PDB file of all heavy atoms in Angstrom:
ATOM      1  N   GLY A   1      32.698   8.231 109.994  1.00  0.00           N
ATOM      2  CA  GLY A   1      31.925   7.659 111.037  1.00  0.00           C
ATOM      3  C   GLY A   1      30.546   8.309 111.170  1.00  0.00           C
ATOM      4  O   GLY A   1      30.072   9.094 110.289  1.00  0.00           O
ATOM      5  N   ASN A   2      29.867   8.031 112.294  1.00  0.00           N
ATOM      6  CA  ASN A   2      28.477   8.487 112.567  1.00  0.00           C
ATOM      7  C   ASN A   2      27.542   8.009 111.472  1.00  0.00           C
ATOM      8  O   ASN A   2      27.556   6.838 111.049  1.00  0.00           O
ATOM      9  CB  ASN A   2      28.505  10.036 112.621  1.00  0.00           C
ATOM     10  CG  ASN A   2      27.225  10.617 113.215  1.00  0.00           C
ATOM     11  OD1 ASN A   2      26.378  11.126 112.513  1.00  0.00           O
ATOM     12  ND2 ASN A   2      27.091  10.536 114.601  1.00  0.00           N
ATOM     13  N   ILE A   3      26.669   8.834 110.945  1.00  0.00           N
ATOM     14  CA  ILE A   3      25.720   8.402 109.908  1.00  0.00           C
ATOM     15  C   ILE A   3      25.701   9.361 108.704  1.00  0.00           C
ATOM     16  O   ILE A   3      26.242  10.431 108.777  1.00  0.00           O
ATOM     17  CB  ILE A   3      24.271   8.393 110.552  1.00  0.00           C
ATOM     18  CG1 ILE A   3      23.882   9.808 110.960  1.00  0.00           C
ATOM     19  CG2 ILE A   3      24.130   7.383 111.582  1.00  0.00           C
ATOM     20  CD1 ILE A   3      22.457   9.914 111.366  1.00  0.00           C
ATOM     21  N   TRP A   4      25.165   8.829 107.671  1.00  0.00           N
ATOM     22  CA  TRP A   4      25.062   9.737 106.407  1.00  0.00           C
ATOM     23  C   TRP A   4      24.331  10.933 106.704  1.00  0.00           C
ATOM     24  O   TRP A   4      23.288  10.939 107.306  1.00  0.00           O
ATOM     25  CB  TRP A   4      24.397   8.897 105.302  1.00  0.00           C
ATOM     26  CG  TRP A   4      24.416   9.584 103.966  1.00  0.00           C
ATOM     27  CD1 TRP A   4      23.512  10.538 103.522  1.00  0.00           C
ATOM     28  CD2 TRP A   4      25.304   9.367 102.852  1.00  0.00           C
ATOM     29  NE1 TRP A   4      23.849  10.952 102.272  1.00  0.00           N
ATOM     30  CE2 TRP A   4      24.906  10.232 101.872  1.00  0.00           C
ATOM     31  CE3 TRP A   4      26.338   8.494 102.616  1.00  0.00           C
ATOM     32  CZ2 TRP A   4      25.606  10.249 100.584  1.00  0.00           C
ATOM     33  CZ3 TRP A   4      27.008   8.515 101.414  1.00  0.00           C
ATOM     34  CH2 TRP A   4      26.627   9.319 100.413  1.00  0.00           C
ATOM     35  N   ALA A   5      24.892  12.093 106.238  1.00  0.00           N
ATOM     36  CA  ALA A   5      24.280  13.426 106.479  1.00  0.00           C
ATOM     37  C   ALA A   5      24.014  13.695 107.898  1.00  0.00           C
ATOM     38  O   ALA A   5      23.031  14.338 108.243  1.00  0.00           O
ATOM     39  CB  ALA A   5      22.965  13.509 105.650  1.00  0.00           C
ATOM     40  N   GLY A   6      24.914  13.205 108.790  1.00  0.00           N
ATOM     41  CA  GLY A   6      24.701  13.393 110.235  1.00  0.00           C
ATOM     42  C   GLY A   6      25.233  14.677 110.801  1.00  0.00           C
ATOM     43  O   GLY A   6      25.020  14.880 111.997  1.00  0.00           O
ATOM     44  N   GLY A   7      25.718  15.534 109.951  1.00  0.00           N
ATOM     45  CA  GLY A   7      26.150  16.860 110.508  1.00  0.00           C
ATOM     46  C   GLY A   7      27.559  16.780 111.067  1.00  0.00           C
ATOM     47  O   GLY A   7      28.245  15.705 111.011  1.00  0.00           O
ATOM     48  N   PRO A   8      28.036  17.877 111.657  1.00  0.00           N
ATOM     49  CA  PRO A   8      29.358  17.932 112.254  1.00  0.00           C
ATOM     50  C   PRO A   8      29.536  16.943 113.420  1.00  0.00           C
ATOM     51  O   PRO A   8      28.514  16.654 114.055  1.00  0.00           O
ATOM     52  CB  PRO A   8      29.398  19.417 112.779  1.00  0.00           C
ATOM     53  CG  PRO A   8      28.394  20.181 112.026  1.00  0.00           C
ATOM     54  CD  PRO A   8      27.284  19.131 111.789  1.00  0.00           C
ATOM     55  N   PRO A   9      30.763  16.562 113.575  1.00  0.00           N
ATOM     56  CA  PRO A   9      31.987  16.880 112.933  1.00  0.00           C
ATOM     57  C   PRO A   9      32.236  16.065 111.729  1.00  0.00           C
ATOM     58  O   PRO A   9      33.187  16.376 110.911  1.00  0.00           O
ATOM     59  CB  PRO A   9      33.080  16.709 114.001  1.00  0.00           C
ATOM     60  CG  PRO A   9      32.584  15.536 114.776  1.00  0.00           C
ATOM     61  CD  PRO A   9      31.104  15.640 114.821  1.00  0.00           C
ATOM     62  N   PHE A  10      31.530  14.937 111.454  1.00  0.00           N
ATOM     63  CA  PHE A  10      31.863  14.039 110.358  1.00  0.00           C
ATOM     64  C   PHE A  10      31.373  14.637 109.011  1.00  0.00           C
ATOM     65  O   PHE A  10      32.019  14.445 108.064  1.00  0.00           O
ATOM     66  CB  PHE A  10      31.296  12.651 110.650  1.00  0.00           C
ATOM     67  CG  PHE A  10      32.092  11.849 111.682  1.00  0.00           C
ATOM     68  CD1 PHE A  10      31.635  11.793 112.877  1.00  0.00           C
ATOM     69  CD2 PHE A  10      33.212  11.244 111.286  1.00  0.00           C
ATOM     70  CE1 PHE A  10      32.303  11.063 113.874  1.00  0.00           C
ATOM     71  CE2 PHE A  10      33.927  10.411 112.213  1.00  0.00           C
ATOM     72  CZ  PHE A  10      33.482  10.392 113.502  1.00  0.00           C
ATOM     73  N   ASN A  11      30.133  15.197 109.123  1.00  0.00           N
ATOM     74  CA  ASN A  11      29.617  15.826 107.829  1.00  0.00           C
ATOM     75  C   ASN A  11      29.678  14.773 106.681  1.00  0.00           C
ATOM     76  O   ASN A  11      30.075  15.162 105.534  1.00  0.00           O
ATOM     77  CB  ASN A  11      30.354  17.069 107.421  1.00  0.00           C
ATOM     78  CG  ASN A  11      30.151  18.236 108.381  1.00  0.00           C
ATOM     79  OD1 ASN A  11      29.059  18.591 108.780  1.00  0.00           O
ATOM     80  ND2 ASN A  11      31.299  18.876 108.833  1.00  0.00           N
ATOM     81  N   GLU A  12      29.164  13.602 107.002  1.00  0.00           N
ATOM     82  CA  GLU A  12      29.241  12.520 105.936  1.00  0.00           C
ATOM     83  C   GLU A  12      28.363  12.912 104.745  1.00  0.00           C
ATOM     84  O   GLU A  12      27.290  13.526 104.929  1.00  0.00           O
ATOM     85  CB  GLU A  12      28.756  11.219 106.550  1.00  0.00           C
ATOM     86  CG  GLU A  12      29.794  10.705 107.577  1.00  0.00           C
ATOM     87  CD  GLU A  12      31.170  10.388 107.066  1.00  0.00           C
ATOM     88  OE1 GLU A  12      31.440  10.617 105.849  1.00  0.00           O
ATOM     89  OE2 GLU A  12      31.964   9.982 107.878  1.00  0.00           O
ATOM     90  N   PRO A  13      28.873  12.558 103.527  1.00  0.00           N
ATOM     91  CA  PRO A  13      29.970  11.623 103.269  1.00  0.00           C
ATOM     92  C   PRO A  13      31.350  12.234 103.220  1.00  0.00           C
ATOM     93  O   PRO A  13      32.309  11.550 102.700  1.00  0.00           O
ATOM     94  CB  PRO A  13      29.531  11.089 101.897  1.00  0.00           C
ATOM     95  CG  PRO A  13      28.888  12.232 101.175  1.00  0.00           C
ATOM     96  CD  PRO A  13      28.127  12.994 102.265  1.00  0.00           C
ATOM     97  N   THR A  14      31.531  13.419 103.689  1.00  0.00           N
ATOM     98  CA  THR A  14      32.850  14.081 103.627  1.00  0.00           C
ATOM     99  C   THR A  14      33.868  13.475 104.629  1.00  0.00           C
ATOM    100  O   THR A  14      34.996  13.128 104.289  1.00  0.00           O
ATOM    101  CB  THR A  14      32.807  15.573 103.885  1.00  0.00           C
ATOM    102  OG1 THR A  14      31.933  16.114 102.864  1.00  0.00           O
ATOM    103  CG2 THR A  14      34.181  16.221 103.773  1.00  0.00           C
ATOM    104  N   GLY A  15      33.411  13.306 105.852  1.00  0.00           N
ATOM    105  CA  GLY A  15      34.334  12.760 106.884  1.00  0.00           C
ATOM    106  C   GLY A  15      35.187  13.860 107.466  1.00  0.00           C
ATOM    107  O   GLY A  15      35.172  15.007 107.040  1.00  0.00           O
ATOM    108  N   ILE A  16      36.075  13.488 108.364  1.00  0.00           N
ATOM    109  CA  ILE A  16      36.975  14.421 108.964  1.00  0.00           C
ATOM    110  C   ILE A  16      38.362  14.235 108.228  1.00  0.00           C
ATOM    111  O   ILE A  16      39.019  13.214 108.303  1.00  0.00           O
ATOM    112  CB  ILE A  16      37.288  14.124 110.468  1.00  0.00           C
ATOM    113  CG1 ILE A  16      35.917  14.256 111.203  1.00  0.00           C
ATOM    114  CG2 ILE A  16      38.281  15.073 111.098  1.00  0.00           C
ATOM    115  CD1 ILE A  16      35.972  13.840 112.705  1.00  0.00           C
ATOM    116  N   SER A  17      38.670  15.237 107.404  1.00  0.00           N
ATOM    117  CA  SER A  17      39.742  15.129 106.419  1.00  0.00           C
ATOM    118  C   SER A  17      40.937  15.934 106.735  1.00  0.00           C
ATOM    119  O   SER A  17      40.835  17.061 107.329  1.00  0.00           O
ATOM    120  CB  SER A  17      39.155  15.491 105.021  1.00  0.00           C
ATOM    121  OG  SER A  17      40.205  15.485 104.052  1.00  0.00           O
ATOM    122  N   SER A  18      42.114  15.464 106.288  1.00  0.00           N
ATOM    123  CA  SER A  18      43.365  16.241 106.392  1.00  0.00           C
ATOM    124  C   SER A  18      43.453  17.348 105.389  1.00  0.00           C
ATOM    125  O   SER A  18      44.254  18.276 105.559  1.00  0.00           O
ATOM    126  CB  SER A  18      44.546  15.314 106.068  1.00  0.00           C
ATOM    127  OG  SER A  18      44.496  14.856 104.716  1.00  0.00           O
ATOM    128  N   GLY A  19      42.610  17.370 104.352  1.00  0.00           N
ATOM    129  CA  GLY A  19      42.809  18.272 103.233  1.00  0.00           C
ATOM    130  C   GLY A  19      43.919  17.666 102.398  1.00  0.00           C
ATOM    131  O   GLY A  19      44.501  16.621 102.638  1.00  0.00           O
ATOM    132  N   GLU A  20      44.259  18.428 101.338  1.00  0.00           N
ATOM    133  CA  GLU A  20      45.259  17.978 100.398  1.00  0.00           C
ATOM    134  C   GLU A  20      46.694  18.389 100.802  1.00  0.00           C
ATOM    135  O   GLU A  20      46.951  19.460 101.224  1.00  0.00           O
ATOM    136  CB  GLU A  20      45.007  18.614  99.088  1.00  0.00           C
ATOM    137  CG  GLU A  20      45.906  18.115  97.916  1.00  0.00           C
ATOM    138  CD  GLU A  20      45.547  18.662  96.501  1.00  0.00           C
ATOM    139  OE1 GLU A  20      44.762  19.688  96.513  1.00  0.00           O
ATOM    140  OE2 GLU A  20      45.906  18.051  95.464  1.00  0.00           O
ATOM    141  N   HIS A  21      47.560  17.298 100.768  1.00  0.00           N
ATOM    142  CA  HIS A  21      48.954  17.465 101.079  1.00  0.00           C
ATOM    143  C   HIS A  21      49.881  17.031  99.860  1.00  0.00           C
ATOM    144  O   HIS A  21      49.603  15.975  99.337  1.00  0.00           O
ATOM    145  CB  HIS A  21      49.377  16.657 102.345  1.00  0.00           C
ATOM    146  CG  HIS A  21      48.856  17.270 103.621  1.00  0.00           C
ATOM    147  ND1 HIS A  21      49.643  18.072 104.458  1.00  0.00           N
ATOM    148  CD2 HIS A  21      47.684  17.296 104.119  1.00  0.00           C
ATOM    149  CE1 HIS A  21      48.949  18.446 105.442  1.00  0.00           C
ATOM    150  NE2 HIS A  21      47.645  18.043 105.307  1.00  0.00           N
ATOM    151  N   ALA A  22      50.783  17.879  99.562  1.00  0.00           N
ATOM    152  CA  ALA A  22      51.690  17.550  98.419  1.00  0.00           C
ATOM    153  C   ALA A  22      52.510  16.321  98.683  1.00  0.00           C
ATOM    154  O   ALA A  22      52.993  16.080  99.728  1.00  0.00           O
ATOM    155  CB  ALA A  22      52.580  18.699  97.993  1.00  0.00           C
ATOM    156  N   VAL A  23      52.733  15.466  97.642  1.00  0.00           N
ATOM    157  CA  VAL A  23      53.642  14.320  97.682  1.00  0.00           C
ATOM    158  C   VAL A  23      54.588  14.500  96.450  1.00  0.00           C
ATOM    159  O   VAL A  23      54.246  14.228  95.417  1.00  0.00           O
ATOM    160  CB  VAL A  23      52.835  12.962  97.573  1.00  0.00           C
ATOM    161  CG1 VAL A  23      53.841  11.766  97.634  1.00  0.00           C
ATOM    162  CG2 VAL A  23      51.800  12.940  98.652  1.00  0.00           C
ATOM    163  N   PRO A  24      55.839  14.888  96.724  1.00  0.00           N
ATOM    164  CA  PRO A  24      56.763  15.120  95.643  1.00  0.00           C
ATOM    165  C   PRO A  24      56.999  13.776  94.871  1.00  0.00           C
ATOM    166  O   PRO A  24      57.242  12.694  95.483  1.00  0.00           O
ATOM    167  CB  PRO A  24      58.054  15.507  96.380  1.00  0.00           C
ATOM    168  CG  PRO A  24      57.611  16.073  97.671  1.00  0.00           C
ATOM    169  CD  PRO A  24      56.450  15.230  98.072  1.00  0.00           C
ATOM    170  N   ASN A  25      56.983  13.857  93.572  1.00  0.00           N
ATOM    171  CA  ASN A  25      57.240  12.648  92.706  1.00  0.00           C
ATOM    172  C   ASN A  25      56.311  11.493  93.104  1.00  0.00           C
ATOM    173  O   ASN A  25      56.770  10.342  93.064  1.00  0.00           O
ATOM    174  CB  ASN A  25      58.750  12.272  92.741  1.00  0.00           C
ATOM    175  CG  ASN A  25      59.629  13.447  92.443  1.00  0.00           C
ATOM    176  OD1 ASN A  25      59.460  14.097  91.404  1.00  0.00           O
ATOM    177  ND2 ASN A  25      60.619  13.680  93.257  1.00  0.00           N
ATOM    178  N   ALA A  26      55.086  11.806  93.373  1.00  0.00           N
ATOM    179  CA  ALA A  26      54.189  10.802  93.798  1.00  0.00           C
ATOM    180  C   ALA A  26      54.021   9.673  92.817  1.00  0.00           C
ATOM    181  O   ALA A  26      53.851   8.479  93.242  1.00  0.00           O
ATOM    182  CB  ALA A  26      52.784  11.386  94.089  1.00  0.00           C
ATOM    183  N   GLY A  27      54.078   9.951  91.552  1.00  0.00           N
ATOM    184  CA  GLY A  27      53.843   8.961  90.474  1.00  0.00           C
ATOM    185  C   GLY A  27      55.137   8.316  89.915  1.00  0.00           C
ATOM    186  O   GLY A  27      55.023   7.398  89.067  1.00  0.00           O
ATOM    187  N   THR A  28      56.214   8.713  90.427  1.00  0.00           N
ATOM    188  CA  THR A  28      57.547   8.167  89.932  1.00  0.00           C
ATOM    189  C   THR A  28      58.474   7.545  90.969  1.00  0.00           C
ATOM    190  O   THR A  28      59.469   7.112  90.705  1.00  0.00           O
ATOM    191  CB  THR A  28      58.302   9.269  89.139  1.00  0.00           C
ATOM    192  OG1 THR A  28      58.563  10.351  89.999  1.00  0.00           O
ATOM    193  CG2 THR A  28      57.590   9.703  87.890  1.00  0.00           C
ATOM    194  N   SER A  29      58.073   7.656  92.295  1.00  0.00           N
ATOM    195  CA  SER A  29      58.792   7.150  93.371  1.00  0.00           C
ATOM    196  C   SER A  29      57.855   6.562  94.454  1.00  0.00           C
ATOM    197  O   SER A  29      56.737   6.997  94.586  1.00  0.00           O
ATOM    198  CB  SER A  29      59.733   8.114  93.945  1.00  0.00           C
ATOM    199  OG  SER A  29      59.079   9.286  94.463  1.00  0.00           O
ATOM    200  N   PHE A  30      58.410   5.725  95.330  1.00  0.00           N
ATOM    201  CA  PHE A  30      57.701   5.129  96.280  1.00  0.00           C
ATOM    202  C   PHE A  30      57.684   6.013  97.584  1.00  0.00           C
ATOM    203  O   PHE A  30      58.739   6.640  97.863  1.00  0.00           O
ATOM    204  CB  PHE A  30      58.179   3.735  96.689  1.00  0.00           C
ATOM    205  CG  PHE A  30      57.808   2.656  95.729  1.00  0.00           C
ATOM    206  CD1 PHE A  30      58.588   2.487  94.539  1.00  0.00           C
ATOM    207  CD2 PHE A  30      56.739   1.868  95.946  1.00  0.00           C
ATOM    208  CE1 PHE A  30      58.241   1.507  93.616  1.00  0.00           C
ATOM    209  CE2 PHE A  30      56.397   0.918  94.955  1.00  0.00           C
ATOM    210  CZ  PHE A  30      57.135   0.690  93.890  1.00  0.00           C
ATOM    211  N   HIS A  31      56.553   6.086  98.299  1.00  0.00           N
ATOM    212  CA  HIS A  31      56.451   6.805  99.576  1.00  0.00           C
ATOM    213  C   HIS A  31      55.701   5.931 100.599  1.00  0.00           C
ATOM    214  O   HIS A  31      54.880   5.118 100.196  1.00  0.00           O
ATOM    215  CB  HIS A  31      55.674   8.096  99.321  1.00  0.00           C
ATOM    216  CG  HIS A  31      56.353   9.051  98.459  1.00  0.00           C
ATOM    217  ND1 HIS A  31      57.234  10.077  98.927  1.00  0.00           N
ATOM    218  CD2 HIS A  31      56.342   9.218  97.106  1.00  0.00           C
ATOM    219  CE1 HIS A  31      57.665  10.751  97.810  1.00  0.00           C
ATOM    220  NE2 HIS A  31      57.131  10.304  96.751  1.00  0.00           N
ATOM    221  N   THR A  32      56.075   6.105 101.846  1.00  0.00           N
ATOM    222  CA  THR A  32      55.356   5.330 102.811  1.00  0.00           C
ATOM    223  C   THR A  32      54.148   6.145 103.351  1.00  0.00           C
ATOM    224  O   THR A  32      54.316   7.355 103.648  1.00  0.00           O
ATOM    225  CB  THR A  32      56.259   5.047 104.027  1.00  0.00           C
ATOM    226  OG1 THR A  32      56.902   6.204 104.577  1.00  0.00           O
ATOM    227  CG2 THR A  32      57.377   4.097 103.584  1.00  0.00           C
ATOM    228  N   TYR A  33      53.010   5.496 103.395  1.00  0.00           N
ATOM    229  CA  TYR A  33      51.793   6.036 103.908  1.00  0.00           C
ATOM    230  C   TYR A  33      51.334   5.239 105.094  1.00  0.00           C
ATOM    231  O   TYR A  33      51.247   3.999 105.002  1.00  0.00           O
ATOM    232  CB  TYR A  33      50.696   6.073 102.850  1.00  0.00           C
ATOM    233  CG  TYR A  33      51.080   6.829 101.608  1.00  0.00           C
ATOM    234  CD1 TYR A  33      51.721   6.201 100.553  1.00  0.00           C
ATOM    235  CD2 TYR A  33      50.689   8.199 101.436  1.00  0.00           C
ATOM    236  CE1 TYR A  33      51.992   6.905  99.359  1.00  0.00           C
ATOM    237  CE2 TYR A  33      51.066   8.894 100.243  1.00  0.00           C
ATOM    238  CZ  TYR A  33      51.724   8.233  99.255  1.00  0.00           C
ATOM    239  OH  TYR A  33      52.049   8.925  98.100  1.00  0.00           O
ATOM    240  N   ALA A  34      51.138   5.864 106.270  1.00  0.00           N
ATOM    241  CA  ALA A  34      50.823   5.078 107.423  1.00  0.00           C
ATOM    242  C   ALA A  34      49.859   5.846 108.321  1.00  0.00           C
ATOM    243  O   ALA A  34      49.697   7.036 108.243  1.00  0.00           O
ATOM    244  CB  ALA A  34      52.135   4.823 108.232  1.00  0.00           C
ATOM    245  N   VAL A  35      49.256   5.072 109.188  1.00  0.00           N
ATOM    246  CA  VAL A  35      48.318   5.610 110.223  1.00  0.00           C
ATOM    247  C   VAL A  35      48.595   4.824 111.538  1.00  0.00           C
ATOM    248  O   VAL A  35      48.838   3.632 111.478  1.00  0.00           O
ATOM    249  CB  VAL A  35      46.810   5.497 109.764  1.00  0.00           C
ATOM    250  CG1 VAL A  35      46.366   4.142 109.764  1.00  0.00           C
ATOM    251  CG2 VAL A  35      45.998   6.359 110.746  1.00  0.00           C
ATOM    252  N   GLU A  36      48.571   5.551 112.629  1.00  0.00           N
ATOM    253  CA  GLU A  36      48.548   4.937 113.935  1.00  0.00           C
ATOM    254  C   GLU A  36      47.310   5.200 114.624  1.00  0.00           C
ATOM    255  O   GLU A  36      46.852   6.337 114.841  1.00  0.00           O
ATOM    256  CB  GLU A  36      49.695   5.440 114.766  1.00  0.00           C
ATOM    257  CG  GLU A  36      51.124   4.809 114.236  1.00  0.00           C
ATOM    258  CD  GLU A  36      52.300   5.246 115.010  1.00  0.00           C
ATOM    259  OE1 GLU A  36      52.109   6.069 115.998  1.00  0.00           O
ATOM    260  OE2 GLU A  36      53.401   4.818 114.694  1.00  0.00           O
ATOM    261  N   LEU A  37      46.586   4.207 115.148  1.00  0.00           N
ATOM    262  CA  LEU A  37      45.468   4.323 115.988  1.00  0.00           C
ATOM    263  C   LEU A  37      45.952   4.048 117.481  1.00  0.00           C
ATOM    264  O   LEU A  37      46.306   2.963 117.824  1.00  0.00           O
ATOM    265  CB  LEU A  37      44.382   3.304 115.679  1.00  0.00           C
ATOM    266  CG  LEU A  37      43.168   3.251 116.578  1.00  0.00           C
ATOM    267  CD1 LEU A  37      42.486   4.610 116.746  1.00  0.00           C
ATOM    268  CD2 LEU A  37      42.163   2.226 116.097  1.00  0.00           C
ATOM    269  N   ASP A  38      46.001   5.141 118.261  1.00  0.00           N
ATOM    270  CA  ASP A  38      46.691   5.101 119.536  1.00  0.00           C
ATOM    271  C   ASP A  38      45.677   5.128 120.687  1.00  0.00           C
ATOM    272  O   ASP A  38      44.937   6.151 120.798  1.00  0.00           O
ATOM    273  CB  ASP A  38      47.645   6.305 119.691  1.00  0.00           C
ATOM    274  CG  ASP A  38      48.489   6.242 120.930  1.00  0.00           C
ATOM    275  OD1 ASP A  38      48.205   5.441 121.801  1.00  0.00           O
ATOM    276  OD2 ASP A  38      49.466   6.980 120.993  1.00  0.00           O
ATOM    277  N   ARG A  39      45.561   4.006 121.410  1.00  0.00           N
ATOM    278  CA  ARG A  39      44.601   3.958 122.513  1.00  0.00           C
ATOM    279  C   ARG A  39      45.327   3.898 123.866  1.00  0.00           C
ATOM    280  O   ARG A  39      44.771   3.491 124.820  1.00  0.00           O
ATOM    281  CB  ARG A  39      43.727   2.723 122.349  1.00  0.00           C
ATOM    282  CG  ARG A  39      42.838   2.693 121.060  1.00  0.00           C
ATOM    283  CD  ARG A  39      41.905   1.481 121.079  1.00  0.00           C
ATOM    284  NE  ARG A  39      41.021   1.511 122.241  1.00  0.00           N
ATOM    285  CZ  ARG A  39      40.226   0.486 122.646  1.00  0.00           C
ATOM    286  NH1 ARG A  39      40.226  -0.639 121.834  1.00  0.00           N
ATOM    287  NH2 ARG A  39      39.442   0.566 123.620  1.00  0.00           N
ATOM    288  N   SER A  40      46.560   4.380 123.867  1.00  0.00           N
ATOM    289  CA  SER A  40      47.374   4.271 125.025  1.00  0.00           C
ATOM    290  C   SER A  40      47.250   5.507 125.955  1.00  0.00           C
ATOM    291  O   SER A  40      47.827   5.506 127.054  1.00  0.00           O
ATOM    292  CB  SER A  40      48.867   4.084 124.683  1.00  0.00           C
ATOM    293  OG  SER A  40      49.418   5.258 124.050  1.00  0.00           O
ATOM    294  N   THR A  41      46.573   6.551 125.544  1.00  0.00           N
ATOM    295  CA  THR A  41      46.420   7.767 126.287  1.00  0.00           C
ATOM    296  C   THR A  41      44.886   8.047 126.590  1.00  0.00           C
ATOM    297  O   THR A  41      44.033   7.539 125.801  1.00  0.00           O
ATOM    298  CB  THR A  41      47.035   8.965 125.667  1.00  0.00           C
ATOM    299  OG1 THR A  41      46.474   9.134 124.343  1.00  0.00           O
ATOM    300  CG2 THR A  41      48.497   8.754 125.475  1.00  0.00           C
ATOM    301  N   SER A  42      44.648   8.934 127.515  1.00  0.00           N
ATOM    302  CA  SER A  42      43.153   9.255 127.786  1.00  0.00           C
ATOM    303  C   SER A  42      42.488   9.878 126.593  1.00  0.00           C
ATOM    304  O   SER A  42      41.271   9.606 126.387  1.00  0.00           O
ATOM    305  CB  SER A  42      43.070  10.140 129.036  1.00  0.00           C
ATOM    306  OG  SER A  42      43.798  11.373 128.867  1.00  0.00           O
TER     307      SER A  42
END
């Protein structure tokens, strides 16, 4: 979000990232990848 080279917290083009997370057998089995955008709380 924000603008290119806009500084923190987005630091584009990097963005706000999870960093790397291991996925066992990522290339030989199926895994579910999902995101929830929750606007139900303040």
Side-chain angles (χ1 to χ4, degrees):
N2 194 260
I3 61 174
W4 186 279
F10 286 98
N11 292 312
E12 294 299 0
T14 300
I16 301 174
S17 174
S18 66
E20 186 174 16
H21 285 258
V23 180
N25 305 310
T28 56
S29 61
F30 285 84
H31 295 268
T32 56
Y33 301 90
V35 67
E36 288 183 355
L37 174 55
D38 188 346
R39 300 185 59 190
S40 67
T41 59
S42 58

